[in-house]
Amino acid sequence: MQISLETVTHTQHLIGSDFGRQTYHTLYDLLSEQPMEKLVAISAANIKRMDATFARESLVALAKRFQGQRVLCLIDFDDRDHLDNCSYAAQKEEVTFLAWQGAEYQVVGLPLSRAWQRILDFVQANGTSTTNDVVKALNISVQNAGVTMKKMVEQGLLIREDGISITGGSEYHYQTVKPPR
């Protein structure tokens, strides 16, 4: 699911906490109408101004509300200041999510540890990975990989789906959080 902030707000100037709260409710209603959509890409195409209070009360509040249930990512944030404002707001609220610019991603919010960054980079490079793939490639323990990847799913950095291992048992498959295009 892709949502345009310009379309939702009917403006290119996203300023203030009150307007951010209004936008949060509009976005929440849109997501409630689409309960099966797990990945939500929010586009800032054509947005001229966005302050940190708007970002905190709308985008970050939405990411926090749906954390562990849906994955939120940002797209089309061409203005570095807009992305910085989102990141400041996300750090304050202790939320982390991804922003995409073309094929490149950036972590928004709390910085990742080196271990988390290595896992995220590996899964992003491979598209889909299992815990065993990560263990072998990064030379870490199964428990460390499993716990870390579960937390990354809860934070909205990875998507987890049930799968079947080559031995026939159940195995999680972790996928990248890439916006639909």
Side-chain angles (χ1 to χ4, degrees):
M1 170 180 221
Q2 187 171 320
I3 300 171
S4 162
L5 283 173
E6 182 184 27
T7 301
V8 167
T9 61
H10 307 290
T11 185
Q12 296 177 333
H13 303 277
L14 309 178
I15 306 297
S17 56
D18 288 341
F19 190 47
R21 281 189 288 277
Q22 283 179 317
T23 303
Y24 166 86
H25 290 293
T26 302
L27 292 169
Y28 180 88
D29 290 344
L30 282 171
L31 294 181
S32 296
E33 293 169 6
Q34 301 289 327
M36 300 307 290
E37 294 286 344
K38 297 296 180 199
L39 176 60
V40 180
I42 297 184
S43 170
N46 302 318
I47 297 301
K48 304 282 187 229
R49 294 181 62 205
M50 179 189 306
D51 71 4
T53 60
F54 174 88
R56 181 190 68 228
E57 297 298 330
S58 59
L59 305 177
V60 173
L62 194 70
K64 193 170 188 173
R65 166 60 181 86
F66 286 106
Q67 203 168 39
Q69 300 168 22
R70 294 186 182 197
V71 177
L72 175 81
C73 67
L74 306 178
I75 59 174
D76 306 321
F77 274 68
D78 297 329
D79 188 317
R80 180 72 203 169
D81 290 340
H82 298 163
L83 203 51
D84 285 347
N85 286 339
C86 286
S87 196
Y88 301 144
Q91 286 175 16
K92 182 170 175 35
E93 296 298 321
E94 299 183 349
V95 174
T96 303
F97 48 96
L98 299 180
W100 286 89
Q101 198 63 358
E104 300 294 319
Y105 76 89
Q106 175 181 332
V107 175
V108 174
L110 296 174
L112 301 183
S113 69
R114 185 174 177 271
W116 279 44
Q117 189 66 59
R118 286 180 64 214
I119 291 171
L120 183 60
D121 288 343
F122 178 80
V123 176
Q124 292 289 356
N126 291 288
T128 299
S129 300
T130 64
T131 302
N132 201 34
D133 295 335
V134 171
V135 167
K136 288 178 184 175
L138 302 181
N139 196 27
I140 59 177
S141 72
V142 172
Q143 182 172 350
N144 185 14
V147 168
T148 300
M149 293 170 80
K150 180 182 179 196
K151 288 179 182 177
M152 292 174 83
V153 168
E154 292 167 358
Q155 289 289 318
L157 298 172
L158 295 175
I159 298 170
R160 181 175 72 188
E161 294 189 2
D162 291 328
I164 298 174
S165 71
I166 56 173
T167 61
S170 179
E171 182 175 51
Y172 292 124
H173 293 257
Y174 296 87
Q175 299 176 358
T176 60
V177 174
K178 285 194 174 177
R181 287 287 178 180

